[in-house]
Amino acid sequence: MAYYQAPLRDMRFVLNEVFQAGDEWAAMPATRELTPDLADAILEEAARLTRAELFPLNQSADAQGCRFEAGRVATPDGFKEARRTLAEGGWFGLGGNPEHGGQGMPKLLTVAFEEMLYATNTGFALYPALNTGATLLLDHHAPEPVKRVYLPRMYAGEWLGTMCLTEPHCGTDLGLIRTRAEPLPGEDTTGQARYALTGSKIWITGGEHDMVDNIVHLVLARLPDAPAGTRGISLFLVPRRKLDAAGEPGETNGVSCGGLEHKMGIKGSATCVMHFDAAEGVLIGEPHQGLAAMFTMMNYERLSIGLQGLGLGEVAGQSAMDFARQRRQGRAPQGAAEPDQPADPILVHPDVRRMALDIRAWNEGGRAFAGFVAGQLDRARLHPDAAVREDAEALVALLTPVAKAFLTDRGFDVTVEAQQLYGGNGYCVEWGAEQYVRDARIAMIYEGTNGIQAMDLVGRKLFRNQGALVARLVERVRSELDAQRDPELADERRRVSEAVTGLERATSALLARARGDAAELGAAAAGYLSLLGHVVYAWLWWRMMTTARQGLQQQGPSGDAFYRAKLAVGRYFLTRLLPRVESLEQEIGAGAETLMALPEEAFYPRD
Amino acid sequence: MAYYQAPLRDMRFVLNEVFQAGDEWAAMPATRELTPDLADAILEEAARLTRAELFPLNQSADAQGCRFEAGRVATPDGFKEARRTLAEGGWFGLGGNPEHGGQGMPKLLTVAFEEMLYATNTGFALYPALNTGATLLLDHHAPEPVKRVYLPRMYAGEWLGTMCLTEPHCGTDLGLIRTRAEPLPGEDTTGQARYALTGSKIWITGGEHDMVDNIVHLVLARLPDAPAGTRGISLFLVPRRKLDAAGEPGETNGVSCGGLEHKMGIKGSATCVMHFDAAEGVLIGEPHQGLAAMFTMMNYERLSIGLQGLGLGEVAGQSAMDFARQRRQGRAPQGAAEPDQPADPILVHPDVRRMALDIRAWNEGGRAFAGFVAGQLDRARLHPDAAVREDAEALVALLTPVAKAFLTDRGFDVTVEAQQLYGGNGYCVEWGAEQYVRDARIAMIYEGTNGIQAMDLVGRKLFRNQGALVARLVERVRSELDAQRDPELADERRRVSEAVTGLERATSALLARARGDAAELGAAAAGYLSLLGHVVYAWLWWRMMTTARQGLQQQGPSGDAFYRAKLAVGRYFLTRLLPRVESLEQEIGAGAETLMALPEEAFYPRD
């Protein structure tokens, strides 16, 4: 009943036409050998594999969930085999460092694969997603001997990584962490100093499961001499099983799983309570610099969670359209469209169209946005020109919280709207639509809640540099609008330009207020993130529309329906969704007083 | 972990201060004996009862669900006892016709009880809600002997009613119904002609369960000579067990349950597939007038489903605030608020305040809105003055689709925002927050999807009378704004007034366009409903604020914190939520072309 084909045509459009990936890759030594043809072959195979191996397990994994018994976690039926198939194809190391066995593919390409993973089976996708995050971190911060032993096995999907941050009393506020690490005598098999870790962590994705021989935990903890707060947190690698002299998993470590969380969705993902009882580990990076190390991978991980929103929005939308194709109810407003049938297809109804176009406008805009951020991540890391790297880093810093929060907010909305399209069927489990809503909901919460993303945006990314990053983005958009003056898109250009002006106005006003009162930033945060998200989507829709116009001109008047659809959906976005920026500007301008007027007690229930 | 106290102070405020219920009831013969003191005693007992009997069963019923075995349905543990306790207290007949054993309470009072039912246990609440709908229908349309036999037992909660409309191929489009009714010789025990009904119905709430001896199905079906489409549908009463000569449940009827739906939420509610196999029933109302009969109760039922959104929003919000009271993370923007604690309470963060105020603004605005519509329903049915009745009927007609759709859309949003406030805990089952999201989701779908409500609004309630009903509402709001010129609320009055002007502008523009193209109504429907909802809430917030100001003036400067909170939340609504109307006006104005430009095939997935 659920339906999914990887949107390859749209992915190619974003890669090759909108972002000219071939030129991009040719300009960077690390990706010089990656041609559009090779990239396309990878995408085709990724589409085939995720559809064949993961998609059929999605609903059954939701129904079955993970099971906890005697300290062990059993994953849903089929997960073990799917892990093996993906591992054999080298997919766990697709973006990994080639020096240690990774495939070295750029993020601009791997985002498409990640989108497919989340679309076909989010519960499964989280195991490779966490592993990718863990390998990124190790590749940046681990001592060389540790990398040599761990990375090849993790890129091969033989061992999988986790991130152990949260404790029962602290999620957002990691400064409160209590897990401790005590130095031990001697060295581990990689020649590193050993530490004994003790404490409990919660919400550990893939903390324990039956898919691999060893699990590689990256754990935040405090050294004995650690200063209080976030400046006293260090990062450790703690394997489930210690490695023997040959680097193979040997005796068990002091790591145990205390149970599974019962969750609203992503039921195929094992969310574990983990106990560390003098578990042996090694330090990754410098003492007390654990949070800083974490942050080097945050930009990647937050984009990845954004892709969860996008992938679920895409599969929910496709499934809803597959339902719409089969469902007839009522008649077109002008009279029967198919009088020989008992009723017309539901897409004759303008309000059903509205939902279908919302879904497409957000999904296709989101894919372009994810592609843009991914391309900048590649430039920031791989480009030979320092000025290009610096510019890309600035854009990544600004847009990462937007990518995480806006893609997941919109992804959730899309799954809810797709569910609505089914009528009552959408509420029944068998159709699959309600699972997408439940699976999408978590993406707004974890990896830093969307409220935290908004605070990061207005605090570190806006106020700290007094709007310099936003100004740089605005300049870039304006120069693009100026360079492309297709008269057929004059009205569209005006709409994008006005939205940009509104963003500038809201930014100056907010900065001025925030200089007087620190609460002003938080009061505007969520609205400002949403405003920036709308403006960036508007710009990228504009770019997609000009690209589509060029495509049509090359093909002549009988041009591809794909380009015509792109223009129609773009117009829908600019005329019906973008106007939201006007109310957002007012909301941002309302100020902190509207929030802080009530005393705290006025919010709490009276017993 | 979930927390709920019926918001009695707020309910009294709406009843007694905002709508002067005492005067209202004194003006109508049927409610003349109902004093505010009596009403208050009823509310207090309702609050106690729902909290003691239903609230403790809410999470366990969700976990356990209903079970289907050998044609019978077992409800979750505790439901049978709760049904009995409510029945003994007369609560099933609270709003019922006193001539047949009902308590005769007006809707303005019963909405508060219904809100409590949904808040404490939506899965359970649906059984009495459906029963209330069925008794309303019978009271209006059944022959007197049928009423005499059935109504007293249904008001007593001894037998419970259902509504059997949907069939697998038709939900929204009831014209496609296939269930048939054939005349049988002889009469039933009430002296009515008998019919044999054959067909299958789906999504029948309470179609089969173990709480009562008999279930009274109200079934839409076609007579042999029925014209095609919606003008050929008749309504029948079909009991699970036929009544014997003494009017007691006797032999089984040809009614059987084919199974239960597996749903996203409301798992305590038995959603049944029902088969009618030459089941014996009697006609209710005139032949072929079944849909018209249904519509007499629609205004009540649709408001009731709106109350599901409100009740779930209220309990979700209270529970989130109870969590907030216990949770400390991070520090206030200006520096530590409680430096001796490891972290500050999360309500120091402006963005957490924003969520908390969204929740309150929508819940409290929604309660006033539900009260207003309920009061008009009472006037329309019970007021001695024909002009008052007519005016109330007009308002009810206009506002019923808004009450159903806007209250449930906002209710769902509120449960999602409340869940967000918990961070990761909100996604874990034990806290209860995620259940409220799942339980609230269905309210946007059933009893006519919110898209159907929007079509009803712009079609029957707006276009058919060329905006006369909206003009009447606008006139009423304007005269209220003119009459109350508290200088302290001048800015607020301006905001409400501008929103009303925007509504008028959007209405005229839409009517003009719709005269040229029938698709224009559908294209604007959802946005128009939301616009009207925002404007009505703005007006009612204005009314609540002027009421609170009067309350404060009577109390002097040390006035009640309740009134001060009401003013603060009202300001929040008007400055931060109401601005949405500006983008809605643009969305409505975008026109049908933005939706209909793409050919239908462009929406369907390509295989």
Side-chain angles (χ1 to χ4, degrees), chain A residues 55-80:
Chain A
F55 197 45
L57 305 178
N58 188 49
Q59 279 186 271
S60 56
D62 180 64
Q64 193 180 19
C66 292
R67 287 142 295 153
F68 178 74
E69 206 171 316
R72 306 307 300 262
V73 172
T75 52
D77 294 346
F79 274 30
K80 282 204 284 256

Side-chain angles (χ1 to χ4, degrees), chain B residues 546-570:
Chain B
T546 58
T547 307
R549 282 274 301 159
Q550 287 154 13
L552 279 178
Q553 279 159 4
Q554 283 162 17
Q555 291 177 341
S558 65
D560 194 333
F562 177 86
Y563 292 128
R564 289 200 304 275
K566 199 58 83 181
L567 287 166
V569 180

Side-chain angles (χ1 to χ4, degrees), chain B residues 53 68 72 154 186 246 259 384 436 446 493 508 528 574 593:
Chain B
E53 303 292 331
F68 178 74
R72 305 307 299 262
M154 294 169 80
Y436 296 132
Y446 60 16
R493 192 173 55 243
S508 320
Y528 190 84
L574 295 176
E593 168 62 17

Side-chain angles (χ1 to χ4, degrees), chain B residues 272-400:
Chain B
C272 303
V273 176
M274 297 302 297
H275 300 303
F276 296 89
D277 183 13
E280 203 180 303
V282 298
L283 183 69
I284 303 295
E286 298 301 309
H288 316 320
Q289 300 294 314
L291 270 193
M294 279 284 171
F295 271 97
T296 61
M297 53 155 285
M298 281 296 188
N299 292 337
Y300 287 85
E301 281 300 288
R302 290 186 164 170
L303 175 58
S304 175
I305 296 305
L307 294 170
Q308 178 181 345
L310 176 60
L312 285 166
E314 178 67 30
V315 68
Q318 287 192 28
S319 300
M321 287 302 100
D322 187 53
F323 175 85
R325 171 158 57 179
Q326 301 159 48
R327 184 76 172 174
R328 293 171 176 275
Q329 294 285 284
R331 292 299 187 184
Q334 301 84 353
E338 302 185 18
D340 54 328
Q341 295 285 340
D344 288 338
I346 59 173
L347 268 176
V348 300
H349 303 296
D351 191 60
V352 175
R353 290 278 183 127
R354 176 186 61 81
M355 295 191 275
L357 283 161
D358 278 351
I359 292 168
R360 280 185 74 154
W362 290 123
N363 283 345
E364 295 174 22
R367 188 167 297 114
F369 180 44
F372 180 75
V373 177
Q376 300 303 315
L377 276 166
D378 291 331
R379 285 189 181 182
R381 193 163 59 94
L382 304 173
H383 205 281
D385 182 337
V388 173
R389 285 202 305 276
E390 194 274 328
D391 191 54
E393 261 162 34
L395 281 166
V396 165
L398 178 68
L399 294 178
T400 291

Side-chain angles (χ1 to χ4, degrees), chain A residues 3 169 173 262 329-330 353 360 416 419-420 427 429 438 441 444 523 576 582-583 586 598 602 607, chain B residues 3 169 173 262 329-330 353 360 416 419-420 427 429 438 441 444 523 576 582-583 586 598 602 607:
Chain A
Y3 184 97
H169 62 290
D173 189 353
H262 299 281
Q329 293 285 283
R353 289 278 183 128
R360 279 185 74 153
V416 170
Q419 182 187 21
Q420 191 71 15
Y427 200 69
V429 170
R438 291 186 288 105
R441 183 67 186 87
M444 298 150 79
R576 297 188 67 119
E582 300 189 18
S583 41
Q586 287 203 43
L598 273 183
D607 290 303
Chain B
Y3 184 97
H169 62 289
D173 188 354
H262 298 281
Q329 294 285 284
R353 290 278 183 127
R360 280 185 74 154
V416 170
Q419 182 187 22
Q420 190 72 16
Y427 201 68
V429 170
R438 291 185 287 106
R441 183 66 187 89
M444 299 151 79
R576 296 188 67 119
E582 301 190 18
S583 41
Q586 287 203 43
L598 273 182
D607 291 303

Side-chain angles (χ1 to χ4, degrees), chain A residues 264 412 441, chain B residues 308-317 320 359 362-363 407-422 426 432-441 444:
Chain A
M264 184 185 200
F412 178 70
R441 183 67 186 87
Chain B
Q308 178 181 345
L310 176 60
L312 285 166
E314 178 67 30
V315 68
I359 292 168
W362 290 123
N363 283 345
L407 278 168
T408 59
D409 280 344
R410 297 294 79 76
F412 178 71
D413 289 351
V414 164
T415 60
V416 170
E417 199 149 36
Q419 182 187 22
Q420 190 72 16
L421 233 143
Y422 291 76
E434 61 89 35
Q435 185 190 343
Y436 296 132
V437 175
R438 291 185 287 106
D439 285 358
R441 183 66 187 89
M444 299 151 79

